[in-house]
C-alpha cells in the first residue's frame, strides 16, 4: 500500500455506523427529556433529571459518536489499521447498554448505588477501558507523531481518570468531598472532551477547508496551556487552594482555547472554498458558541466572589453552551463530513470509473439539513435565555426546537445509512482515433 | 519526463480522461485541483505512467481516487499496463489549482 493513504486501513463500516445510529436516537431522547426537565434546569444542575439528561447527552450522544468517529479517524490521522475491530464493537455494545441504565437510575434515584447504576456504570467503564486500550495500542504503533495526535492520546488519559473518579463518587459518596464531583466534571469536560476535540478538529477543519501552511505553534502552546491549567485547576479543587490559584488556572485554560480558536480561524481565513456547505456551516457555528462557553467558564472560576444564584446560572450556561452548544453543533456538522463518506466508500468503492456515481454530498436531504440548522440556533438561544431568566417555559420551547433539530438530523442520518446504490452510465470525453495496444 | 504542461497528443487525451475523475469531497476534477503531476505514454511497451498526489495525507478517499484514475484510463486503453503512482513530493499547494478549478470551488455549492 502506498504511504499516506487511509482507505484500506479503514475499519469495517459495520463497526462504525451503529455508533452514528445510536447517537441520533440518543439526541432525540435527550430533546424529549429536556421538555420534562425544564423546571429543574431553570434552578440547578444537581438534580436527578438534569443529571439523567446530561448523561444521555454526554454518553449516548457525544461520547457514542466520538467513539465511532475516532474508530474511523484513527487510520486517517495515524496512518495505520485500528488495533482491534472486535474490541471496538464490544465497546459500542457496553456503552450502548450502560448509558440508558445510568440515565434511568439518575432520573429515579439520583446519585445512589442502585443495581441499575452499578451495572450501567460498570458497563460504561468497561466500554471506556476497551476504547482506551484500542486507541492507545493503535497510537503506539503509529509513526505519525503530530501535535494533533498528542491531544487525542492525552484526552484518553484524562478520560480514564474521569470515569474512575465518577465510579468512586457513586461507590464512596461519604468519603469523597464535594470537590471530587467538581474534579469529575472538569476532568471530563476539559480533559476528555475538549482535549480530544482540539486534536480531531485541528486535523479535520483544515482538511475540509483545504487550508495549508498553518502555524502549528498555536496548537503546541494550546497543549501546554490547557494541560498545565487543568492540572493546576484539579490540584486547587483537591487541596482546596486559594481562589487566586484557581483564577490563574482558568486563565491558562482560557488562553489555551483561544490559541486553538486562532489556529482554526487561520484555516478558515485561508480556506479555498469560500462558500461553506452545511457541515462546515455548523462547524463554524460551533466555534462561535465556544466563545460563550469560554466566557462563562472563565467567569465561573471566580466562584466565591460571585453571588451564589448568579454562579449557578453561570455554571449552567457554561455546561449547556458546551454540551448542547459547541459539542452538539460540531457533531451535527461533522456528521455531514464523515458519515456520507463512510457509506459512499462502502457502496461505491468498487464502482468508481465504471459507472457515474452520486457524490457523498448528494446522499442527504439538503432541505432537512438547512431547516435543522435554524431550528438548532433557535433551540439553543431559547435554552440559554431560559436559564438566564429562570423561565421553564422558554426551556420547554427550546426542547420543541431541539426535538425538531434531532428528528431532522435523525432523518438525514437514517437516509444516509440506508442509501441504496444509484448508478448511471459513464460518459467519457470523445478522443481522437488512436492505435490499439500492440500485442506482445 | 512528461510534466502535464508538456504533453504529446496521446498524453493530452489521457489527461482529458483523468478529468472525468472528481475529488468526492469538493466535486472538482482532480486535474483542475492540480493533483496530477506527470502523464507518460510508452507506445512500444504498452505502458502508461501517471504520477499524482493528494491534497492531504491520510485523505479518507485517497485510494478510491487512485483506483478511479486507474480504472478509467485502463478502460480507454485496453491492453495497456496503467501505473498510477502516489507521490508526496513536491508537496501539493493551493497554487497548483487551475483557474477553472478555483471557479468551481467558489461556486460549487
Amino acid at each position: 500500500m502506498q504511504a499516506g493513504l487511509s482507505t484500506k486501513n479503514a475499519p469495517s463500516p459495520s463497526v462504525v455506523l451503529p455508533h452514528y445510529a445510536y447517537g441520533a436516537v440518543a439526541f432525540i431522547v435527550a430533546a424529549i427529556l429536556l421538555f420534562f426537565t425544564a423546571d429543574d434546569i431553570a434552578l440547578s444542575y444537581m438534580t436527578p433529571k438534569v443529571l439523567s439528561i446530561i448523561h444521555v447527552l454526554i454518553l449516548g450522544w457525544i461520547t457514542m459518536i466520538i467513539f465511532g468517529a475516532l474508530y474511523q479517524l484513527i487510520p486517517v490521522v495515524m496512518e495505520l489499521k485500528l488495533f482491534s475491530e472486535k474490541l471496538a464493537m464490544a465497546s459500542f455494545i457496553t456503552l450502548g447498554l450502560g448509558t440508558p441504565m445510568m440515565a434511568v437510575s439518575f432520573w429515579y434515584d439520583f446519585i445512589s448505588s442502585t443495581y441499575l447504576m452499578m451495572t450501567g456504570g460498570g458497563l460504561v467503564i468497561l466500554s471506556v477501558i476497551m476504547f482506551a486500550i484500542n486507541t492507545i495500542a493503535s497510537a503506539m504503533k503509529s509513526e505519525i507523531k503530530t501535535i494533533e495526535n498528542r491531544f487525542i492520546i492525552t484526552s484518553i488519559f484524562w478520560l480514564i481518570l474521569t470515569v474512575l473518579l465518577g465510579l468512586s463518587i457513586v461507590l464512596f459518596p461519604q468519603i469523597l468531598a464535594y470537590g471530587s464531583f467538581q474534579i469529575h466534571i472538569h476532568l471530563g469536560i476539559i480533559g476528555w472532551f475538549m482535549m480530544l476535540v482540539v486534536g480531531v478538529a485541528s486535523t479535520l477543519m483544515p482538511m475540509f477547508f483545504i487550508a495549508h501552511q498553518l502555524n502549528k505553534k498555536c496548537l503546541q502552546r494550546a497543549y501546554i496551556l490547557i494541560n498545565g491549567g487543568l492540572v493546576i485547576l484539579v490540584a486547587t479543587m483537591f487541596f482546596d487552594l486559594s481562589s487566586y490559584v484557581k483564577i490563574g488556572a482558568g486563565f491558562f485554560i482560557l488562553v489555551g482555547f483561544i490559541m486553538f480558536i486562532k489556529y482554526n480561524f487561520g484555516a478558515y481565513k485561508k480556506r479555498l472554498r469560500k462558500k461553506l456547505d452545511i457541515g462546515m456551516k455548523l462547524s463554524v457555528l460551533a466555534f462561535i458558541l465556544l466563545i460563550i462557553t469560554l466566557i462563562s467558564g472563565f467567569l465561573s472560576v471566580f466562584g466565591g466572589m460571585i453571588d451564589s444564584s448568579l454562579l449557578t446560572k453561570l455554571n449552567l450556561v457554561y455546561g449547556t453552551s458546551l454540551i448542547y452548544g459547541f459539542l452538539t453543533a460540531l457533531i451535527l456538522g461533522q456528521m455531514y463530513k464523515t458519515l456520507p463518506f463512510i457509506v459512499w466508500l462502502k457502496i461505491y468503492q468498487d464502482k468508481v470509473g465504471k459507472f457515474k456515481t452520486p457524490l457523498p454530498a448528494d446522499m442527504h436531504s439538503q432541505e432537512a439539513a438547512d431547516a435543522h440548522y435554524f431550528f438548532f440556533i433557535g433551540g439553543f438561544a431559547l435554552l440559554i435565555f431560559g436559564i438566564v431568566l429562570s423561565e421553564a417555559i422558554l426551556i420547554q420551547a427550546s426542547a420543541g426546537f431541539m426535538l425538531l433539530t434531532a428528528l431532522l438530523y435523525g432523518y438525514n442520518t437514517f437516509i444516509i445509512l440506508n442509501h441504496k446504490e444509484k448508478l448511471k452510465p459513464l460518459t467519457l470525453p470523445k478522443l481522437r482515433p488512436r492505435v490499439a495496444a500492440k500485442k506482445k | 519526463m512528461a510534466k502535464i504542461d508538456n504533453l504529446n497528443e496521446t498524453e493530452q487525451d489521457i489527461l482529458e480522461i483523468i478529468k472525468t475523475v472528481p475529488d468526492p469531497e469538493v466535486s472538482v476534477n482532480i486535474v483542475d485541483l492540480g493533483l496530477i503531476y506527470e502523464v507518460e505514454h510508452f507506445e512500444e511497451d504498452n505502458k502508461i505512467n501517471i504520477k499524482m498526489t493528494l491534497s492531504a495525507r491520510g485523505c479518507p478517499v485517497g485510494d478510491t481516487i487512485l483506483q478511479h484514475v486507474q480504472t478509467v484510463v485502463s478502460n480507454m486503453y485496453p491492453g495497456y499496463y496503467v501505473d498510477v503512482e502516489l507521490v508526496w513530493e513536491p508537496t501539493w499547494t493551493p497554487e497548483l489549482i487551475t483557474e477553472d478549478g478555483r471557479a468551481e470551488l467558489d461556486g460549487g455549492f
Side-chain angles (χ1 to χ4, degrees):
Chain A
M1 203 187 101
Q2 309 199 56
L5 286 175
S6 60
T7 320
K8 287 196 175 75
N9 281 334
S12 161
S14 62
V15 172
V16 176
L17 299 181
H19 291 80
Y20 282 88
Y22 190 105
V25 173
F27 188 41
I28 293 170
V29 171
I32 296 168
L33 293 182
L34 181 64
F35 184 83
F36 297 105
T37 316
D39 284 326
D40 291 40
I41 293 181
L43 297 172
S44 167
Y45 56 89
M46 275 297 284
T47 76
K49 290 178 179 174
V50 176
L51 285 185
S52 177
I53 191 174
I54 285 175
H55 283 79
V56 169
L57 280 169
I58 284 186
L59 297 175
W61 164 234
I62 298 169
T63 299
M64 184 60 83
I65 298 226
I66 285 179
F67 274 17
L70 263 193
Y71 291 142
Q72 184 73 24
L73 287 174
I74 279 172
V76 173
V77 297
M78 299 186 185
E79 297 187 12
L80 43 66
K81 271 189 181 293
L82 188 66
F83 174 68
S84 166
E85 292 193 12
K86 282 181 185 158
L87 214 51
M89 205 59 214
S91 80
F92 165 75
I93 293 167
T94 42
L95 182 62
L97 290 173
T99 301
M101 287 183 187
M102 286 185 76
V104 169
S105 186
F106 271 124
W107 189 275
Y108 291 110
D109 298 298
F110 200 27
I111 306 171
S112 50
S113 310
T114 61
Y115 171 75
L116 263 183
M117 177 64 83
M118 298 315 293
T119 313
L123 285 169
V124 169
I125 288 178
L126 200 58
S127 171
V128 168
I129 291 169
M130 288 189 282
F131 166 80
I133 291 171
N134 219 349
T135 43
I136 291 171
S138 304
M140 281 168 65
K141 287 193 291 178
S142 175
E143 290 172 6
I144 310 294
K145 309 283 182 198
T146 60
I147 181 72
E148 294 91 331
N149 287 359
R150 208 184 314 153
F151 270 106
I152 295 170
I153 303 302
T154 311
S155 76
I156 296 160
F157 164 75
W158 291 118
L159 169 65
I160 296 167
L161 286 184
T162 305
V163 288
L164 288 179
L165 188 60
L167 186 72
S168 307
I169 289 170
V170 176
L171 283 176
F172 315 109
Q174 66 283 15
I175 299 170
L176 293 162
Y178 179 72
S180 307
F181 183 73
Q182 294 282 320
I183 295 171
H184 172 65
I185 293 175
H186 285 86
L187 287 179
I189 289 179
I190 301 168
W192 159 233
F193 282 128
M194 294 307 290
M195 200 74 66
L196 179 73
V197 164
V198 171
V200 172
S202 302
T203 304
L204 293 184
M205 299 291 279
M207 189 192 283
F208 292 137
F209 278 137
I210 319 178
H212 281 245
Q213 289 146 353
L214 300 171
N215 182 5
K216 289 210 175 180
K217 277 186 183 162
C218 286
L219 287 182
Q220 282 152 358
R221 286 175 190 146
Y223 183 84
I224 294 165
L225 286 164
I226 298 170
N227 280 293
L230 184 57
V231 170
I232 297 170
L233 188 66
V234 167
T236 312
M237 290 165 177
F238 194 78
F239 298 110
D240 205 14
L241 300 177
S242 146
S243 344
Y244 292 109
V245 182
K246 197 175 173 187
I247 292 167
F251 184 72
F252 273 14
I253 294 169
L254 177 70
V255 177
F257 283 116
I258 290 171
M259 290 286 137
F260 161 62
I261 293 174
K262 189 181 168 195
Y263 178 78
N264 283 281
F265 186 62
Y268 174 80
K269 279 202 300 187
K270 287 189 174 179
R271 75 193 187 281
L272 285 172
R273 307 165 74 184
K274 298 299 174 204
K275 203 168 173 186
L276 300 177
D277 59 17
I278 187 68
M280 294 315 279
K281 264 166 77 175
L282 279 158
S283 304
V284 170
L285 173 68
F287 276 83
I288 294 167
L289 300 183
L290 179 60
I291 295 168
I292 300 174
T293 308
L294 292 181
I295 293 170
S296 52
F298 182 64
L299 289 177
S300 73
V301 297
F302 287 85
M305 304 174 198
I306 301 173
D307 170 69
S308 66
S309 70
L310 182 62
L311 182 62
T312 302
K313 282 181 185 176
L314 263 178
N315 282 333
L316 279 167
V317 170
Y318 166 50
T320 306
S321 63
L322 179 70
I323 296 166
Y324 240 140
F326 173 66
L327 291 171
T328 293
L330 199 60
I331 289 177
L332 291 174
Q334 290 302 306
M335 184 281 277
Y336 289 104
K337 306 302 294 178
T338 53
L339 186 61
F341 283 87
I342 300 167
V343 176
W344 186 87
L345 280 170
K346 178 182 151 204
I347 297 176
Y348 298 114
Q349 197 165 11
D350 299 326
K351 309 286 189 306
V352 292
K354 298 167 190 162
F355 302 93
K356 186 171 167 41
T357 66
L359 290 169
D362 303 329
M363 291 165 68
H364 66 265
S365 158
Q366 193 54 47
E367 292 76 16
D370 287 338
H372 80 57
Y373 177 75
F374 290 107
F375 285 136
F376 173 72
I377 293 174
F380 178 79
L382 283 168
L383 190 54
I384 294 298
F385 282 123
I387 289 167
V388 171
L389 304 172
S390 299
E391 282 289 348
I393 188 77
L394 290 179
I395 297 171
Q396 282 175 330
S398 158
F401 277 80
M402 286 300 186
L403 184 58
L404 286 171
T405 305
L407 288 172
L408 291 169
Y409 169 85
Y411 169 73
N412 265 344
T413 304
F414 178 80
I415 61 171
I416 294 168
L417 286 172
N418 287 287
H419 179 83
K420 299 282 178 280
E421 188 178 277
K422 288 175 190 165
L423 297 172
K424 288 181 182 169
L426 199 64
T427 44
L428 288 168
K430 283 187 179 167
L431 306 175
R432 66 195 113 231
R434 59 182 172 74
V435 185
K438 290 174 186 169
K439 292 252 163 94
K440 285 186 178 175
Chain B
M1 196 65 71
K3 304 273 183 193
I4 59 161
D5 49 2
N6 186 28
L7 302 178
N8 64 34
E9 281 192 346
T10 310
E11 289 163 347
Q12 279 173 9
D13 282 349
I14 296 168
L15 199 66
E16 281 305 307
I17 294 163
I18 302 173
K19 266 195 174 182
T20 63
V21 179
D23 179 328
E25 159 63 13
V26 293
S27 85
V28 175
N29 77 72
I30 59 171
V31 174
D32 283 328
L33 280 178
L35 300 181
I36 303 296
Y37 286 166
E38 290 177 22
V39 176
E40 289 175 303
H41 171 253
F42 300 102
E43 196 167 342
E44 291 303 311
D45 301 330
N46 291 346
K47 192 176 177 195
I48 295 169
N49 287 345
I50 297 159
K51 275 191 187 174
M52 63 174 290
T53 192
L54 296 169
S55 58
R57 276 184 84 93
C59 166
V61 288
D63 38 42
T64 305
I65 297 176
L66 264 69
Q67 183 197 325
H68 197 164
V69 173
Q70 223 270 344
T71 307
V72 286
V73 177
S74 297
N75 285 349
M76 292 298 280
Y77 288 83
Y80 272 78
Y81 173 72
V82 179
D83 181 41
V84 183
E85 187 187 352
L86 177 66
V87 293
W88 296 108
E89 292 294 333
T91 308
W92 180 86
T93 65
E95 285 72 41
L96 294 170
I97 300 176
T98 65
E99 282 303 313
D100 288 349
R102 280 174 201 281
E104 275 192 74
L105 274 173
D106 279 348
F109 291 95

